[in-house]
Structures are given as structure tokens and as C-alpha cells.
Amino acid sequence: MMIALEARAPALNRLRSWSLAADQDLFGRWQAVVTFGRIGRRGQVRWHAFEDEVDLSRFVRRALLRRRSATRRIGVSYEAVEASPSVHPILAQLGLAVPPTVSVGAGRAASESVAAAPELLPIGGVEHAGARSDAGVVEVEVHLEGHPPKISQCGVP
């Protein structure tokens, strides 16, 4: 189970990220890892252990209810950025919108190669997107908060 939520209101200086990943460990106990903080930063991580799936579900539901009240608390609502299919019904029930899933090759011509798609590389909290060409040059687009995108080309050995 995986859920990633974001609350964005640059005018209010509210750029928050919250994610939860849950799975069973080798001993059959359920674990949830919650990561939260400012978008683009490392954030804080909390681990939670549960004896059964019912306790985990209760924890997830309470956490999502807390995120739903963000509009009242911080002035901006959380939106689902990514969610595993098993969580979609819970998100819909709580009124958190889930974006439609996009496949890797969606919107491309049949002749285009999926390998030519830009890959996102997190480097120092900044996302760099680039596509390698035959000449060994990578075009990089850098997005920093509060600055226009910058595009540059780098040689790759």
C-alpha cells in the first residue's frame, strides 16, 4: 500500500508533502512508514508497527482524516499525487481526489521509443530531467522553487 499527498499554496508559503508506505515484514507484522515535510526537502520519517491489518487500516484512516482537515488548519488542502489501487476506495470515501493513472507510453506516437522519454533523477532535492542522445549529450531542465526553469546541455562520457 502506498499513498503520496501534497499540499501546495505558494502564495501562503505552504508546500507540504506526506506519504505512507505499508507492507508486511518477514514475521507477518504490518509496518507503516510515514514521511512528511516540505516539498523538495528530506522531511521526517516515522515507523509504525501493527499486529494485524485491521490496526493498520485504522491507522491509515485516522491519518487520512487528519490530512483532510488541512484546509481548516493550514489553509490549503492535500491532493493525492500517487496511490496504490488498493487505497483508491478509501481516498474516494474521504473526498481526497486521485489523479488518473498515466502509463509510460501514453500520448506518444507508436513509432517513438519509450527509451527516449526523459528520466527524472533526484539530485540534492532538485529534479533533473534529461534525455540522452547518440552524441553523448544530455539536455537537463532544472526546477528550483521561486525561479524560472533553466535548460542546459551536458556532455556525458
Side-chain angles (χ1 to χ4, degrees):
M1 170 188 312
M2 197 333 219
I3 307 166
L5 306 174
E6 287 184 355
R8 292 178 180 260
L12 299 172
N13 195 24
R14 307 277 198 292
L15 298 167
R16 297 188 180 185
S17 170
W18 184 89
S19 67
L20 179 138
D23 205 354
Q24 278 185 303
D25 65 7
L26 294 174
F27 303 107
R29 290 181 305 220
W30 287 88
Q31 293 184 347
V33 179
V34 178
T35 307
F36 59 95
R38 189 167 175 87
I39 294 173
R41 303 284 184 203
R42 185 185 320 223
Q44 297 183 34
V45 179
R46 302 282 189 261
W47 285 269
H48 303 272
F50 306 96
E51 290 300 320
D52 57 12
E53 195 171 3
V54 174
D55 290 340
L56 171 67
S57 297
R58 194 174 302 127
F59 173 78
V60 170
R61 186 171 200 64
R62 270 197 322 262
L64 290 175
L65 283 170
R66 176 77 173 159
R67 302 292 80 73
R68 188 175 72 173
S69 70
T71 306
R72 178 178 44 82
R73 293 181 296 111
I74 64 174
V76 61
S77 63
Y78 278 90
E79 295 179 3
V81 177
E82 187 179 342
S84 59
S86 64
V87 183
H88 287 201
I90 297 170
L91 292 174
Q93 185 181 17
L94 295 175
L96 293 167
V98 179
T101 56
V102 179
S103 63
V104 176
R108 296 181 184 274
S111 62
E112 285 188 65
S113 168
V114 175
E119 56 183 298
L120 291 176
L121 307 169
I123 300 174
V126 181
E127 287 185 348
H128 300 266
R132 187 181 302 237
S133 69
D134 292 336
V137 174
V138 175
E139 189 173 274
V140 178
E141 184 175 348
V142 179
H143 297 273
L144 296 173
E145 290 179 22
H147 299 283
K150 182 179 178 183
I151 299 174
S152 61
Q153 292 187 344
C154 306
V156 178

